[in-house]
Amino acid sequence: MREFLVEITTTVPEGTGHEEVDRRRAAEAVRAKELAATGRLARLWRPVGELRSIGVWRAADEEELHEKVLGSLPLRPWMTFTVTPLVPHPNDPGTK
């Protein structure tokens, strides 16, 4: 599987009820755990003071990443993504 750095910004549509937001966020947490368990979600961070996420995600290719991985997120209709494909760096201390 290839790795991708994904920046996610979620914007809740104006007029969306709190119950709907809470329902989707709860479903999102469940789905994130499922994706982590299958190795699709490797790491996830939230920059301090920001309402966005940055993560390392895995898929066979970018098409699969969008369709089967990110596309399966309950908050997907409210999300925008910036995707950067990654390759190992020869000096990565994590590979030694």
Side-chain angles (χ1 to χ4, degrees), residues 1-79:
M1 274 194 276
R2 295 184 58 195
E3 291 187 319
F4 300 86
L5 180 68
V6 181
E7 295 181 49
I8 302 170
T9 302
T10 304
T11 305
V12 177
E14 192 173 318
T16 304
H18 291 292
E19 292 173 2
E20 175 68 9
V21 174
D22 291 346
R23 184 187 66 75
R24 285 189 189 229
R25 285 190 175 147
E28 187 81 12
V30 170
R31 185 65 182 137
K33 287 179 185 176
E34 293 170 352
L35 291 168
T38 63
R40 300 301 183 152
L41 174 56
R43 297 294 308 269
L44 193 61
W45 299 270
R46 171 161 287 141
V48 175
E50 296 186 33
L51 296 175
R52 65 186 181 102
S53 302
I54 300 170
V56 176
W57 298 74
R58 295 184 180 122
D61 53 36
E62 197 165 338
E63 181 179 346
E64 180 183 78
L65 176 71
H66 282 283
E67 289 182 13
K68 296 185 179 176
V69 181
L70 301 175
S72 73
L73 298 171
L75 291 172
R76 170 62 189 106
W78 302 345
M79 294 176 158

Side-chain angles (χ1 to χ4, degrees), residues 88-96:
H89 191 286
N91 297 328
D92 179 4
T95 60
K96 298 187 190 275

